[in-house]
Amino acid sequence: MSTTGSTRPTHVSAARRRTVIDALRRGAVPESGLDLLATGLDRFEAALDAELEAVASGASVFKAVRGEYGSGKTFFTRWLGERAKRRNFAVAEIQVSENETPLHRLETVYRRLTERLTTSSFPPSALRPVVDAWFYALEEDALAAGATEEELPGEVEELLVARLAEVSRHAPSFATALRGYRAALAAGDEATAAAVLAWLGGQPHVAASARRAAGVRGDLDHFGALGFLQGLLTVLRDSGHAGLFVVLDEVETLQRVRSDARDKALNALRQLIDEVHSGRFPGLYLVITGTPAFYDGQQGVQRLAPLAQRLATDFTTDPRFDNPRAVQIRLPGFNQESLVGLGVTIRDLYAAGAAAPERIGAVVDDAYVADLARAVGGALGGKVGVAPRLFLKKLVGDVLDRVDQFDDFDPRQHYRLTVASRELTDVERNLASGTSSADDVDLEL
């Protein structure tokens, strides 16, 4: 990411600043406030904002993001998710993993989606507030159409059937569960209502008594998950949300699973893409992230020719001319200049909330930020592209915090960079030891 074209706000609240700084101190990507750090993403803004507007108007979009480890894929998707949330989208970020969230089991992916569902007003899981807002909207629509208090339950039932008519063709139990949830609330049975809503969110092992009360059976399966996703999109739209922004992060982990599970997962991904492009999911913006090895290697996308065709994008030209409207976009990652620029941005953000901002700027000047960036990159085998996480963690926790708290602390005299193995990720540890990532090696499992 380049350091040019920043559009960071000039005034930042103390709470937003603290959220960002605290996350960087832990070596994590902040959950919010990413617009404060987004430098060089302006070249994507126009195209991505246009896609978000199209989704809000009833379209659906699939996007694949590629980048090496440390290039900022998680940062990018959370930044885009913040932009979506400001447009009143619901947002969900899902970490794909072999054990917790296998991609070939879409019922598990749907369950993680509802667990991680968030809106501008509610943290995860926002499923219940969304469903409650939907029933409230149905009641308001019925009253606006002239229904009396006595007629209201029947009119709401008719609206429910009409709004979910298309969904019921594929997943009739979705509407049935919603009726069961509303009936349990009306009867004052909170335990049954909560259990039915959990079943609606894809949770397994819901009490049989609750399922019987709602008129549903069994657990959600792979094929029913797509119908439930369709139903969730309808509920979100009718409850006032512009759409749903979903991220499937770290899809490259598919390269490390058994070949049969990998083939199923790749086919499930192809199925998802086809469903999105077919128009089945109006209001859905679906993003996946992965490394170049996943998109180009024989143990990733290239293993399934139809999927490779759908994601094919020309990256042989100068990255400056990459098309942000393409189905696949690449993040070029950091170089020394952009890493220093990001460090200066964080230094200034930190100083704005410090007791003595002038001292922060004088002691941790641009030259020192550049020196620290070079030192961290050197500790990781010269791989500047994967250095941002560790660099920002050291800058905030080891340098800026000490300068802020100790008047006589000078990092040039009192601080020497140390990088312990325990504070590195697996990728960073491999680079520090001079080896490359195992993901760069194709193995037939």
Side-chain angles (χ1 to χ4, degrees):
M1 284 183 260
S2 134
T3 59
T4 61
S6 172
T7 57
R8 293 185 300 277
T10 55
H11 176 73
V12 182
S13 70
R16 295 186 73 208
R17 183 186 303 111
R18 184 171 56 251
T19 296
V20 171
I21 295 299
D22 286 350
L24 297 178
R25 185 182 290 116
R26 299 192 308 269
V29 175
E31 292 288 344
S32 61
L34 297 181
D35 55 316
L36 304 177
L37 315 180
T39 57
L41 297 182
D42 53 306
R43 64 190 181 116
F44 296 109
E45 287 181 359
L48 297 178
D49 285 349
E51 290 177 347
L52 287 172
E53 291 299 326
V55 171
S57 299
S60 54
V61 168
F62 172 83
K63 208 78 170 178
V65 178
R66 68 187 275 146
E68 297 287 358
Y69 287 102
S71 62
K73 296 188 295 297
T74 298
F75 178 94
F76 177 85
T77 55
R78 289 186 182 172
W79 167 79
L80 183 53
E82 280 196 349
R83 298 181 76 84
K85 199 176 289 186
R86 286 198 293 270
R87 288 167 169 78
N88 203 26
F89 277 68
V91 174
E93 178 185 322
I94 304 165
Q95 299 291 324
V96 175
S97 67
E98 179 181 6
N99 296 322
E100 296 296 324
T101 315
L103 190 55
H104 66 281
R105 299 193 62 178
L106 292 181
E107 68 274 24
T108 304
V109 175
Y110 172 81
R111 181 166 78 246
R112 297 286 179 254
L113 189 161
T114 60
E115 291 171 349
R116 296 292 300 160
L117 187 69
T118 181
T119 68
S120 57
S121 302
F122 295 97
S125 166
L127 179 61
R128 182 160 190 167
V130 165
V131 170
D132 289 344
W134 184 66
F135 277 117
Y136 178 79
L138 293 186
E139 291 176 354
E140 289 295 300
D141 289 348
L143 292 172
T148 65
E149 289 295 331
E150 294 75 16
E151 298 169 338
L152 188 59
E155 293 296 323
V156 169
E157 173 67 19
E158 289 185 10
L159 286 175
L160 183 151
V161 172
R163 302 281 173 85
L164 296 177
E166 180 62 26
V167 176
S168 295
R169 293 178 54 242
H170 303 282
S173 56
F174 187 86
T176 303
L178 284 171
R179 289 192 195 93
Y181 170 72
R182 188 163 184 265
L185 286 181
D189 189 349
E190 172 60 29
T192 296
V196 172
L197 193 66
W199 188 88
L200 193 72
Q203 296 294 334
H205 315 306
V206 172
S209 58
R211 286 186 275 119
R212 281 196 304 271
V216 296
R217 294 183 300 176
D219 292 329
L220 183 65
D221 61 17
H222 176 90
F223 300 102
L226 294 180
F228 273 41
L229 175 58
Q230 192 176 0
L232 179 60
L233 288 167
T234 300
V235 169
L236 283 167
R237 181 194 64 216
D238 290 348
S239 59
H241 293 279
L244 174 61
F245 178 86
V246 178
V247 178
L248 299 178
D249 202 11
E250 299 184 0
V251 180
E252 70 270 2
T253 57
L254 296 180
Q255 298 171 102
R256 299 192 289 272
V257 304
R258 295 195 328 266
S259 59
D260 58 337
R262 185 189 318 142
D263 290 342
K264 291 177 183 177
L266 292 172
N267 192 58
L269 181 57
R270 187 230 16 110
Q271 181 184 5
L272 269 175
I273 294 173
D274 288 349
E275 295 281 14
V276 169
H277 289 162
S278 73
R280 180 179 177 183
F281 301 123
L284 177 64
Y285 195 122
L286 178 63
V287 179
I288 66 169
T289 71
T291 59
F294 169 70
Y295 292 110
D296 302 334
Q298 292 304 313
Q299 301 311 312
V301 168
Q302 300 304 315
R303 187 179 178 93
L304 183 62
L307 179 60
Q309 293 164 5
R310 286 157 176 75
L311 297 181
T313 305
D314 180 15
F315 290 117
T316 60
T317 57
D318 190 315
R320 293 179 302 161
F321 305 118
D322 281 359
N323 178 15
R325 299 174 182 171
V327 67
Q328 186 182 158
I329 57 177
R330 65 175 163 182
L331 302 180
F334 285 86
N335 54 31
Q336 180 67 22
E337 178 186 0
S338 58
L339 191 62
V340 173
L342 180 59
V344 169
T345 296
I346 298 304
R347 190 259 335 262
D348 293 344
L349 181 66
Y350 190 104
E358 297 82 5
R359 171 170 150 72
I360 295 286
V363 176
V364 189
D365 56 15
D366 292 4
Y368 179 79
V369 173
D371 290 343
L372 183 63
R374 277 191 293 271
V376 173
L380 297 179
K383 302 290 187 179
V384 176
V386 297
R389 186 197 71 85
L390 185 62
F391 166 63
L392 295 178
K393 184 175 185 290
K394 295 292 185 180
L395 176 63
V396 173
D398 290 358
V399 177
L400 292 173
D401 279 347
R402 287 171 171 160
V403 172
D404 188 41
Q405 296 177 82
F406 305 104
D407 292 340
D408 57 344
F409 179 79
D410 184 341
R412 288 183 171 87
Q413 299 180 37
H414 305 126
Y415 175 70
R416 182 173 64 88
L417 175 70
T418 58
V419 178
S421 177
R422 64 180 178 275
E423 62 183 323
L424 300 179
T425 65
D426 290 342
V427 174
E428 292 166 345
R429 192 176 298 109
N430 288 336
L431 291 172
S433 64
T435 60
S436 59
S437 169
D439 286 328
D440 295 332
V441 181
D442 286 340
L443 296 177
E444 183 62 45
L445 301 178

